[in-house]
PDB file of all heavy atoms in Angstrom:
ATOM      1  N   GLU A  88      10.005  23.019  31.301  1.00  0.00           N
ATOM      2  CA  GLU A  88       9.074  22.274  30.413  1.00  0.00           C
ATOM      3  C   GLU A  88       7.832  21.705  31.106  1.00  0.00           C
ATOM      4  O   GLU A  88       7.905  21.521  32.302  1.00  0.00           O
ATOM      5  CB  GLU A  88       9.867  21.031  29.896  1.00  0.00           C
ATOM      6  CG  GLU A  88      11.190  21.348  29.064  1.00  0.00           C
ATOM      7  CD  GLU A  88      12.349  21.331  29.921  1.00  0.00           C
ATOM      8  OE1 GLU A  88      12.325  21.357  31.258  1.00  0.00           O
ATOM      9  OE2 GLU A  88      13.523  21.010  29.428  1.00  0.00           O
ATOM     10  N   SER A  89       6.851  21.379  30.276  1.00  0.00           N
ATOM     11  CA  SER A  89       5.753  20.915  30.839  1.00  0.00           C
ATOM     12  C   SER A  89       4.962  20.114  29.589  1.00  0.00           C
ATOM     13  O   SER A  89       5.289  20.206  28.527  1.00  0.00           O
ATOM     14  CB  SER A  89       4.732  21.811  31.324  1.00  0.00           C
ATOM     15  OG  SER A  89       4.416  22.823  30.392  1.00  0.00           O
ATOM     16  N   GLY A  90       4.041  19.276  29.944  1.00  0.00           N
ATOM     17  CA  GLY A  90       3.247  18.584  29.011  1.00  0.00           C
ATOM     18  C   GLY A  90       3.572  17.117  28.705  1.00  0.00           C
ATOM     19  O   GLY A  90       2.902  16.535  27.804  1.00  0.00           O
ATOM     20  N   GLY A  91       4.647  16.604  29.354  1.00  0.00           N
ATOM     21  CA  GLY A  91       4.884  15.268  29.176  1.00  0.00           C
ATOM     22  C   GLY A  91       3.885  14.385  29.816  1.00  0.00           C
ATOM     23  O   GLY A  91       2.961  14.779  30.434  1.00  0.00           O
ATOM     24  N   GLY A  92       3.995  13.005  29.443  1.00  0.00           N
ATOM     25  CA  GLY A  92       3.064  12.025  30.006  1.00  0.00           C
ATOM     26  C   GLY A  92       3.085  10.735  29.244  1.00  0.00           C
ATOM     27  O   GLY A  92       4.023  10.465  28.533  1.00  0.00           O
ATOM     28  N   LEU A  93       2.039   9.877  29.462  1.00  0.00           N
ATOM     29  CA  LEU A  93       1.928   8.596  28.839  1.00  0.00           C
ATOM     30  C   LEU A  93       0.837   8.620  27.869  1.00  0.00           C
ATOM     31  O   LEU A  93      -0.304   9.178  28.117  1.00  0.00           O
ATOM     32  CB  LEU A  93       1.539   7.606  30.017  1.00  0.00           C
ATOM     33  CG  LEU A  93       1.215   6.118  29.626  1.00  0.00           C
ATOM     34  CD1 LEU A  93       2.535   5.535  28.955  1.00  0.00           C
ATOM     35  CD2 LEU A  93       0.726   5.381  30.731  1.00  0.00           C
ATOM     36  N   VAL A  94       1.222   8.085  26.766  1.00  0.00           N
ATOM     37  CA  VAL A  94       0.245   8.109  25.515  1.00  0.00           C
ATOM     38  C   VAL A  94       0.462   6.782  24.797  1.00  0.00           C
ATOM     39  O   VAL A  94       1.534   6.206  24.824  1.00  0.00           O
ATOM     40  CB  VAL A  94       0.539   9.413  24.691  1.00  0.00           C
ATOM     41  CG1 VAL A  94       1.879   9.372  24.016  1.00  0.00           C
ATOM     42  CG2 VAL A  94      -0.666   9.507  23.604  1.00  0.00           C
ATOM     43  N   GLN A  95      -0.639   6.365  24.138  1.00  0.00           N
ATOM     44  CA  GLN A  95      -0.620   5.183  23.325  1.00  0.00           C
ATOM     45  C   GLN A  95       0.013   5.519  22.026  1.00  0.00           C
ATOM     46  O   GLN A  95      -0.045   6.585  21.480  1.00  0.00           O
ATOM     47  CB  GLN A  95      -1.915   4.501  23.203  1.00  0.00           C
ATOM     48  CG  GLN A  95      -2.504   3.907  24.403  1.00  0.00           C
ATOM     49  CD  GLN A  95      -3.732   3.098  24.056  1.00  0.00           C
ATOM     50  OE1 GLN A  95      -4.617   3.523  23.179  1.00  0.00           O
ATOM     51  NE2 GLN A  95      -4.037   2.113  24.835  1.00  0.00           N
ATOM     52  N   ALA A  96       0.659   4.466  21.384  1.00  0.00           N
ATOM     53  CA  ALA A  96       1.261   4.704  19.961  1.00  0.00           C
ATOM     54  C   ALA A  96       0.205   5.227  19.048  1.00  0.00           C
ATOM     55  O   ALA A  96      -1.031   4.737  19.191  1.00  0.00           O
ATOM     56  CB  ALA A  96       1.749   3.350  19.544  1.00  0.00           C
ATOM     57  N   GLY A  97       0.460   6.161  18.271  1.00  0.00           N
ATOM     58  CA  GLY A  97      -0.543   6.771  17.423  1.00  0.00           C
ATOM     59  C   GLY A  97      -1.097   8.037  18.009  1.00  0.00           C
ATOM     60  O   GLY A  97      -1.619   8.816  17.253  1.00  0.00           O
ATOM     61  N   GLY A  98      -0.833   8.170  19.229  1.00  0.00           N
ATOM     62  CA  GLY A  98      -1.444   9.407  19.908  1.00  0.00           C
ATOM     63  C   GLY A  98      -0.644  10.748  19.742  1.00  0.00           C
ATOM     64  O   GLY A  98       0.452  10.659  18.968  1.00  0.00           O
ATOM     65  N   SER A  99      -0.954  11.722  20.458  1.00  0.00           N
ATOM     66  CA  SER A  99      -0.341  13.058  20.371  1.00  0.00           C
ATOM     67  C   SER A  99      -0.112  13.601  21.724  1.00  0.00           C
ATOM     68  O   SER A  99      -0.854  13.275  22.665  1.00  0.00           O
ATOM     69  CB  SER A  99      -1.154  14.073  19.577  1.00  0.00           C
ATOM     70  OG  SER A  99      -1.455  13.529  18.235  1.00  0.00           O
ATOM     71  N   LEU A 100       0.877  14.458  21.841  1.00  0.00           N
ATOM     72  CA  LEU A 100       1.303  15.233  23.034  1.00  0.00           C
ATOM     73  C   LEU A 100       1.822  16.493  22.595  1.00  0.00           C
ATOM     74  O   LEU A 100       2.400  16.617  21.515  1.00  0.00           O
ATOM     75  CB  LEU A 100       2.284  14.538  23.892  1.00  0.00           C
ATOM     76  CG  LEU A 100       1.756  13.404  24.829  1.00  0.00           C
ATOM     77  CD1 LEU A 100       3.057  12.781  25.508  1.00  0.00           C
ATOM     78  CD2 LEU A 100       0.892  13.968  25.825  1.00  0.00           C
ATOM     79  N   ARG A 101       1.557  17.523  23.366  1.00  0.00           N
ATOM     80  CA  ARG A 101       2.076  18.857  23.178  1.00  0.00           C
ATOM     81  C   ARG A 101       3.030  19.330  24.385  1.00  0.00           C
ATOM     82  O   ARG A 101       2.396  19.326  25.280  1.00  0.00           O
ATOM     83  CB  ARG A 101       1.028  19.836  22.999  1.00  0.00           C
ATOM     84  CG  ARG A 101       1.448  21.268  22.641  1.00  0.00           C
ATOM     85  CD  ARG A 101       0.347  22.224  22.438  1.00  0.00           C
ATOM     86  NE  ARG A 101       0.583  23.565  22.136  1.00  0.00           N
ATOM     87  CZ  ARG A 101       0.795  24.065  20.945  1.00  0.00           C
ATOM     88  NH1 ARG A 101       0.819  23.229  19.812  1.00  0.00           N
ATOM     89  NH2 ARG A 101       1.075  25.330  20.687  1.00  0.00           N
ATOM     90  N   LEU A 102       4.257  19.465  24.117  1.00  0.00           N
ATOM     91  CA  LEU A 102       5.184  19.915  25.062  1.00  0.00           C
ATOM     92  C   LEU A 102       5.300  21.405  24.980  1.00  0.00           C
ATOM     93  O   LEU A 102       5.273  21.953  23.818  1.00  0.00           O
ATOM     94  CB  LEU A 102       6.527  19.274  24.911  1.00  0.00           C
ATOM     95  CG  LEU A 102       6.656  17.792  24.760  1.00  0.00           C
ATOM     96  CD1 LEU A 102       8.061  17.338  24.736  1.00  0.00           C
ATOM     97  CD2 LEU A 102       5.959  17.154  26.010  1.00  0.00           C
ATOM     98  N   SER A 103       5.527  22.062  26.208  1.00  0.00           N
ATOM     99  CA  SER A 103       5.682  23.551  26.235  1.00  0.00           C
ATOM    100  C   SER A 103       6.984  23.834  26.996  1.00  0.00           C
ATOM    101  O   SER A 103       7.366  23.060  27.935  1.00  0.00           O
ATOM    102  CB  SER A 103       4.544  24.239  26.797  1.00  0.00           C
ATOM    103  OG  SER A 103       3.368  24.157  25.967  1.00  0.00           O
ATOM    104  N   CYS A 104       7.624  24.829  26.705  1.00  0.00           N
ATOM    105  CA  CYS A 104       8.859  25.310  27.407  1.00  0.00           C
ATOM    106  C   CYS A 104       8.635  26.818  27.674  1.00  0.00           C
ATOM    107  O   CYS A 104       8.592  27.662  26.659  1.00  0.00           O
ATOM    108  CB  CYS A 104      10.082  24.994  26.579  1.00  0.00           C
ATOM    109  SG  CYS A 104      11.591  25.598  27.320  1.00  0.00           S
ATOM    110  N   ALA A 105       8.619  27.100  28.855  1.00  0.00           N
ATOM    111  CA  ALA A 105       8.539  28.588  29.367  1.00  0.00           C
ATOM    112  C   ALA A 105       9.810  29.101  29.677  1.00  0.00           C
ATOM    113  O   ALA A 105      10.543  28.515  30.445  1.00  0.00           O
ATOM    114  CB  ALA A 105       7.461  28.624  30.473  1.00  0.00           C
ATOM    115  N   ALA A 106      10.201  30.269  29.171  1.00  0.00           N
ATOM    116  CA  ALA A 106      11.540  30.831  29.252  1.00  0.00           C
ATOM    117  C   ALA A 106      11.462  32.148  29.988  1.00  0.00           C
ATOM    118  O   ALA A 106      10.543  32.926  29.715  1.00  0.00           O
ATOM    119  CB  ALA A 106      12.196  31.016  27.917  1.00  0.00           C
ATOM    120  N   SER A 107      12.357  32.367  30.781  1.00  0.00           N
ATOM    121  CA  SER A 107      12.577  33.752  31.495  1.00  0.00           C
ATOM    122  C   SER A 107      13.480  34.539  30.648  1.00  0.00           C
ATOM    123  O   SER A 107      14.110  34.066  29.841  1.00  0.00           O
ATOM    124  CB  SER A 107      13.025  33.554  32.862  1.00  0.00           C
ATOM    125  OG  SER A 107      14.448  33.102  32.764  1.00  0.00           O
ATOM    126  N   GLY A 108      13.571  35.838  30.906  1.00  0.00           N
ATOM    127  CA  GLY A 108      14.464  36.639  30.062  1.00  0.00           C
ATOM    128  C   GLY A 108      13.783  37.557  29.084  1.00  0.00           C
ATOM    129  O   GLY A 108      12.743  37.211  28.469  1.00  0.00           O
ATOM    130  N   ARG A 109      14.380  38.731  28.945  1.00  0.00           N
ATOM    131  CA  ARG A 109      13.745  39.737  28.043  1.00  0.00           C
ATOM    132  C   ARG A 109      14.142  39.659  26.604  1.00  0.00           C
ATOM    133  O   ARG A 109      13.671  40.328  25.838  1.00  0.00           O
ATOM    134  CB  ARG A 109      14.045  41.141  28.597  1.00  0.00           C
ATOM    135  CG  ARG A 109      13.358  41.383  29.993  1.00  0.00           C
ATOM    136  CD  ARG A 109      13.763  42.839  30.553  1.00  0.00           C
ATOM    137  NE  ARG A 109      15.069  42.857  30.919  1.00  0.00           N
ATOM    138  CZ  ARG A 109      15.705  43.773  31.454  1.00  0.00           C
ATOM    139  NH1 ARG A 109      15.103  44.909  31.636  1.00  0.00           N
ATOM    140  NH2 ARG A 109      17.020  43.703  31.896  1.00  0.00           N
ATOM    141  N   THR A 110      15.105  38.840  26.283  1.00  0.00           N
ATOM    142  CA  THR A 110      15.618  38.845  24.950  1.00  0.00           C
ATOM    143  C   THR A 110      15.354  37.400  24.363  1.00  0.00           C
ATOM    144  O   THR A 110      16.015  36.880  23.490  1.00  0.00           O
ATOM    145  CB  THR A 110      17.057  39.013  24.824  1.00  0.00           C
ATOM    146  OG1 THR A 110      17.725  38.043  25.754  1.00  0.00           O
ATOM    147  CG2 THR A 110      17.385  40.458  25.346  1.00  0.00           C
ATOM    148  N   PHE A 111      14.229  36.889  24.702  1.00  0.00           N
ATOM    149  CA  PHE A 111      13.842  35.511  24.172  1.00  0.00           C
ATOM    150  C   PHE A 111      13.882  35.413  22.741  1.00  0.00           C
ATOM    151  O   PHE A 111      14.322  34.490  22.089  1.00  0.00           O
ATOM    152  CB  PHE A 111      12.471  35.194  24.801  1.00  0.00           C
ATOM    153  CG  PHE A 111      11.935  33.760  24.271  1.00  0.00           C
ATOM    154  CD1 PHE A 111      12.403  32.643  24.805  1.00  0.00           C
ATOM    155  CD2 PHE A 111      11.034  33.897  23.191  1.00  0.00           C
ATOM    156  CE1 PHE A 111      11.803  31.430  24.319  1.00  0.00           C
ATOM    157  CE2 PHE A 111      10.481  32.582  22.834  1.00  0.00           C
ATOM    158  CZ  PHE A 111      10.854  31.413  23.254  1.00  0.00           C
ATOM    159  N   ARG A 112      13.372  36.513  21.972  1.00  0.00           N
ATOM    160  CA  ARG A 112      13.247  36.451  20.658  1.00  0.00           C
ATOM    161  C   ARG A 112      14.597  36.269  19.913  1.00  0.00           C
ATOM    162  O   ARG A 112      14.669  35.845  18.724  1.00  0.00           O
ATOM    163  CB  ARG A 112      12.639  37.678  20.060  1.00  0.00           C
ATOM    164  CG  ARG A 112      13.346  39.034  20.319  1.00  0.00           C
ATOM    165  CD  ARG A 112      12.690  40.184  19.636  1.00  0.00           C
ATOM    166  NE  ARG A 112      11.352  40.389  20.305  1.00  0.00           N
ATOM    167  CZ  ARG A 112      10.084  40.202  19.761  1.00  0.00           C
ATOM    168  NH1 ARG A 112      10.156  39.803  18.464  1.00  0.00           N
ATOM    169  NH2 ARG A 112       9.094  40.517  20.363  1.00  0.00           N
ATOM    170  N   ASN A 113      15.631  36.519  20.550  1.00  0.00           N
ATOM    171  CA  ASN A 113      17.029  36.499  19.934  1.00  0.00           C
ATOM    172  C   ASN A 113      17.691  35.057  20.083  1.00  0.00           C
ATOM    173  O   ASN A 113      18.775  34.824  19.566  1.00  0.00           O
ATOM    174  CB  ASN A 113      17.949  37.568  20.600  1.00  0.00           C
ATOM    175  CG  ASN A 113      17.596  38.951  20.218  1.00  0.00           C
ATOM    176  OD1 ASN A 113      16.797  39.093  19.353  1.00  0.00           O
ATOM    177  ND2 ASN A 113      18.060  39.844  21.006  1.00  0.00           N
ATOM    178  N   TYR A 114      16.983  34.207  20.810  1.00  0.00           N
ATOM    179  CA  TYR A 114      17.553  32.918  21.108  1.00  0.00           C
ATOM    180  C   TYR A 114      17.072  31.907  20.163  1.00  0.00           C
ATOM    181  O   TYR A 114      15.870  31.829  19.717  1.00  0.00           O
ATOM    182  CB  TYR A 114      17.230  32.421  22.418  1.00  0.00           C
ATOM    183  CG  TYR A 114      17.975  33.046  23.554  1.00  0.00           C
ATOM    184  CD1 TYR A 114      17.661  34.270  23.982  1.00  0.00           C
ATOM    185  CD2 TYR A 114      19.094  32.441  24.095  1.00  0.00           C
ATOM    186  CE1 TYR A 114      18.420  34.892  25.105  1.00  0.00           C
ATOM    187  CE2 TYR A 114      19.886  32.991  25.096  1.00  0.00           C
ATOM    188  CZ  TYR A 114      19.545  34.265  25.595  1.00  0.00           C
ATOM    189  OH  TYR A 114      20.312  34.864  26.581  1.00  0.00           O
ATOM    190  N   ALA A 115      17.965  31.009  19.652  1.00  0.00           N
ATOM    191  CA  ALA A 115      17.528  29.807  19.081  1.00  0.00           C
ATOM    192  C   ALA A 115      16.991  28.805  20.055  1.00  0.00           C
ATOM    193  O   ALA A 115      17.659  28.676  21.189  1.00  0.00           O
ATOM    194  CB  ALA A 115      18.723  29.062  18.259  1.00  0.00           C
ATOM    195  N   MET A 116      15.916  28.177  19.957  1.00  0.00           N
ATOM    196  CA  MET A 116      15.238  27.347  20.898  1.00  0.00           C
ATOM    197  C   MET A 116      15.161  25.902  20.353  1.00  0.00           C
ATOM    198  O   MET A 116      14.777  25.671  19.204  1.00  0.00           O
ATOM    199  CB  MET A 116      13.898  27.869  21.268  1.00  0.00           C
ATOM    200  CG  MET A 116      13.887  29.169  21.932  1.00  0.00           C
ATOM    201  SD  MET A 116      14.772  29.304  23.444  1.00  0.00           S
ATOM    202  CE  MET A 116      13.886  28.127  24.436  1.00  0.00           C
ATOM    203  N   GLY A 117      15.692  24.927  21.134  1.00  0.00           N
ATOM    204  CA  GLY A 117      15.752  23.643  20.553  1.00  0.00           C
ATOM    205  C   GLY A 117      15.094  22.630  21.644  1.00  0.00           C
ATOM    206  O   GLY A 117      15.025  22.842  22.744  1.00  0.00           O
ATOM    207  N   TRP A 118      14.727  21.474  20.959  1.00  0.00           N
ATOM    208  CA  TRP A 118      14.229  20.341  21.812  1.00  0.00           C
ATOM    209  C   TRP A 118      15.152  19.189  21.545  1.00  0.00           C
ATOM    210  O   TRP A 118      15.471  18.818  20.282  1.00  0.00           O
ATOM    211  CB  TRP A 118      12.748  19.974  21.455  1.00  0.00           C
ATOM    212  CG  TRP A 118      11.721  20.869  21.905  1.00  0.00           C
ATOM    213  CD1 TRP A 118      11.146  21.900  21.202  1.00  0.00           C
ATOM    214  CD2 TRP A 118      11.216  20.832  23.175  1.00  0.00           C
ATOM    215  NE1 TRP A 118      10.223  22.478  22.049  1.00  0.00           N
ATOM    216  CE2 TRP A 118      10.162  21.783  23.270  1.00  0.00           C
ATOM    217  CE3 TRP A 118      11.252  20.022  24.372  1.00  0.00           C
ATOM    218  CZ2 TRP A 118       9.363  22.110  24.404  1.00  0.00           C
ATOM    219  CZ3 TRP A 118      10.491  20.250  25.475  1.00  0.00           C
ATOM    220  CH2 TRP A 118       9.627  21.224  25.462  1.00  0.00           C
ATOM    221  N   PHE A 119      15.503  18.525  22.656  1.00  0.00           N
ATOM    222  CA  PHE A 119      16.340  17.361  22.530  1.00  0.00           C
ATOM    223  C   PHE A 119      15.777  16.185  23.325  1.00  0.00           C
ATOM    224  O   PHE A 119      14.881  16.496  24.277  1.00  0.00           O
ATOM    225  CB  PHE A 119      17.850  17.664  23.065  1.00  0.00           C
ATOM    226  CG  PHE A 119      18.626  18.618  22.188  1.00  0.00           C
ATOM    227  CD1 PHE A 119      18.338  19.949  22.315  1.00  0.00           C
ATOM    228  CD2 PHE A 119      19.507  18.166  21.313  1.00  0.00           C
ATOM    229  CE1 PHE A 119      19.091  20.824  21.527  1.00  0.00           C
ATOM    230  CE2 PHE A 119      20.267  19.028  20.610  1.00  0.00           C
ATOM    231  CZ  PHE A 119      20.055  20.423  20.651  1.00  0.00           C
ATOM    232  N   ARG A 120      16.160  14.978  23.139  1.00  0.00           N
ATOM    233  CA  ARG A 120      15.611  13.933  24.027  1.00  0.00           C
ATOM    234  C   ARG A 120      16.637  12.897  24.284  1.00  0.00           C
ATOM    235  O   ARG A 120      17.588  12.739  23.557  1.00  0.00           O
ATOM    236  CB  ARG A 120      14.385  13.287  23.230  1.00  0.00           C
ATOM    237  CG  ARG A 120      14.810  12.501  21.985  1.00  0.00           C
ATOM    238  CD  ARG A 120      13.544  11.995  21.222  1.00  0.00           C
ATOM    239  NE  ARG A 120      13.831  11.192  20.062  1.00  0.00           N
ATOM    240  CZ  ARG A 120      12.895  10.752  19.158  1.00  0.00           C
ATOM    241  NH1 ARG A 120      11.650  11.027  19.369  1.00  0.00           N
ATOM    242  NH2 ARG A 120      13.340  10.070  18.113  1.00  0.00           N
ATOM    243  N   GLN A 121      16.347  12.169  25.407  1.00  0.00           N
ATOM    244  CA  GLN A 121      17.367  11.165  25.814  1.00  0.00           C
ATOM    245  C   GLN A 121      16.528   9.973  26.233  1.00  0.00           C
ATOM    246  O   GLN A 121      15.844  10.055  27.250  1.00  0.00           O
ATOM    247  CB  GLN A 121      18.234  11.751  26.917  1.00  0.00           C
ATOM    248  CG  GLN A 121      19.313  10.607  27.323  1.00  0.00           C
ATOM    249  CD  GLN A 121      20.529  11.229  28.097  1.00  0.00           C
ATOM    250  OE1 GLN A 121      20.189  12.244  28.760  1.00  0.00           O
ATOM    251  NE2 GLN A 121      21.671  10.711  28.153  1.00  0.00           N
ATOM    252  N   ALA A 122      16.698   8.934  25.564  1.00  0.00           N
ATOM    253  CA  ALA A 122      16.068   7.604  25.992  1.00  0.00           C
ATOM    254  C   ALA A 122      16.956   6.895  26.931  1.00  0.00           C
ATOM    255  O   ALA A 122      18.240   7.146  26.926  1.00  0.00           O
ATOM    256  CB  ALA A 122      15.797   6.771  24.708  1.00  0.00           C
TER     257      ALA A 122
END
């Protein structure tokens, strides 16, 4: 993953996740978070 950081309320961020592997298209991809 990349793209995290500090932002003020109301702002925006874009996270990216780069995957290895030749069958990426067959995978379900999810985002989870833990506070």
Side-chain angles (χ1 to χ4, degrees):
E88 302 96 335
S89 61
L93 173 65
V94 64
Q95 288 188 330
S99 298
L100 280 175
R101 182 178 176 88
L102 304 183
S103 292
C104 175
S107 64
R109 291 175 290 181
T110 59
F111 175 78
R112 66 176 64 250
N113 296 340
Y114 283 83
M116 299 298 298
W118 285 97
F119 293 79
R120 67 186 182 185
Q121 187 168 21

